[in-house]
Amino acid sequence: MTAFPAQPPYGPAQTPEAPPNTHCLPAGYVQRIPPDYFVDEDEDGIVWQPDVYPYAAAVALKHGRDTIIDIGCGRAEKLAGLARQYPQWRFVGVDYGANIQWCRQRWQFGQWVEADLEKDLRPVTDRDAIRRSVIICSDVLEHLVHPDIAAAAIRTLLLDGAAKAVFSTPARERKVLPGQAEFNGPPDNPTHVREWASDEFRAFLRSSHLVIEEFSYTRRNDADGAPTTQLVLADARRS
């Protein structure tokens, strides 16, 4: 993991004291509300964010944890890959609608919890599992109208004993150049509400009372290898 990157040349993001509902986006950014529901059913053979789950597994091994809680798991194909590699571990997938129903019908491993991340803050699993866990929230927050609710739920899991949280989300400054239409939104993906530039996303996490321990860019998929995805390791701020 690298140190925090230098301030990009597109100008400062709003601070954590930004007005409500901006989620630390710059003035003038256009969000897509409401977004389309994301159905995780790609069949083109491309693996998106292929390095995020192996990284989370390495974090779990480092901290002596044997449970992965995947917030916004989709159809959990990458979680299934970890289950094949670590069959003795426990896996908890959290999503709603067609995605979580597909998981319940398809997979023989795991605990599948239906929860609307826009509003559902109930515990996702038992306290023992939380205390043995690392949390993954991979390319989820950009789909949510209210990402602060999911971030608050993840902070609660960390305060309840989860070791760390691993986040990934697109890095807007690495996808388009300043002055291009998409740079100021809305994103070209119809299921994305917004896409943060890297300094904005770090500001958002800090505003959610999370401490950023590591930051880097990682591949968005295993086809073109472009490092346009932010990868963040975080813990809860306790004061």
Side-chain angles (χ1 to χ4, degrees):
M1 302 292 280
T2 62
F4 291 170
Q7 180 75 16
Y10 47 80
Q14 294 191 29
T15 68
E17 290 73 36
N21 301 321
T22 62
H23 306 302
C24 300
L25 293 165
Y29 186 87
V30 179
Q31 302 183 77
R32 176 182 286 105
I33 301 174
D36 292 348
Y37 175 79
F38 174 67
V39 180
D40 187 12
E41 58 182 5
D42 288 341
E43 297 179 354
D44 54 12
I46 295 175
V47 179
W48 294 87
Q49 297 80 44
D51 304 316
V52 174
Y53 285 67
Y55 172 74
V59 172
L61 290 169
K62 177 180 177 181
H63 292 276
R65 305 302 172 99
D66 62 3
T67 299
I68 299 292
I69 300 175
D70 191 356
I71 305 294
C73 63
R75 289 191 172 182
E77 295 284 354
K78 292 189 285 290
L79 202 62
L82 288 189
R84 289 188 290 270
Q85 188 173 0
Y86 303 101
Q88 72 279 18
W89 286 11
R90 181 175 176 182
F91 298 91
V92 181
V94 184
D95 213 311
Y96 82 107
N99 287 332
I100 203 68
Q101 295 304 320
W102 193 94
C103 290
R104 288 172 173 171
Q105 294 167 9
R106 168 65 183 268
W107 299 121
Q108 300 303 309
F109 78 97
Q111 174 190 357
W112 307 109
V113 178
E114 183 157 18
D116 184 345
L117 301 180
E118 297 278 11
K119 58 186 178 183
D120 199 335
L121 291 176
R122 62 187 172 87
V124 299
T125 188
D126 59 271
R127 194 61 73 87
D128 179 64
I130 294 170
R131 290 170 178 164
R132 299 172 66 169
S133 74
V134 164
I135 301 161
I136 298 175
C137 186
S138 178
D139 280 45
V140 172
L141 296 180
E142 66 271 15
H143 295 271
L144 303 179
V145 175
H146 304 291
D148 50 311
I149 295 176
I154 290 169
R155 180 173 183 262
T156 297
L157 292 172
L158 291 165
L159 292 173
D160 284 346
K164 305 291 176 184
V166 175
F167 294 92
S168 67
T169 194
R172 190 171 84 253
E173 79 276 13
R174 291 204 163 196
K175 293 181 59 181
V176 293
L177 296 174
Q180 293 181 350
E182 189 191 344
F183 193 81
N184 290 318
D188 58 356
N189 187 327
T191 70
H192 288 188
V193 176
R194 72 192 66 74
E195 292 178 358
W196 287 275
S198 58
D199 64 335
E200 298 160 6
F201 188 59
R202 295 197 303 273
F204 168 73
L205 293 179
R206 289 194 296 268
S207 74
S208 301
H209 305 285
L210 295 167
V211 177
I212 300 167
E213 297 189 348
E214 295 181 346
F215 177 96
S216 69
Y217 297 105
T218 187
R219 295 182 293 167
R220 67 173 181 170
N221 62 51
D222 62 354
D224 64 21
T228 60
T229 293
Q230 304 179 57
L231 178 61
V232 178
L233 181 69
D235 202 347
R237 194 171 73 212
R238 289 168 165 78
S239 63

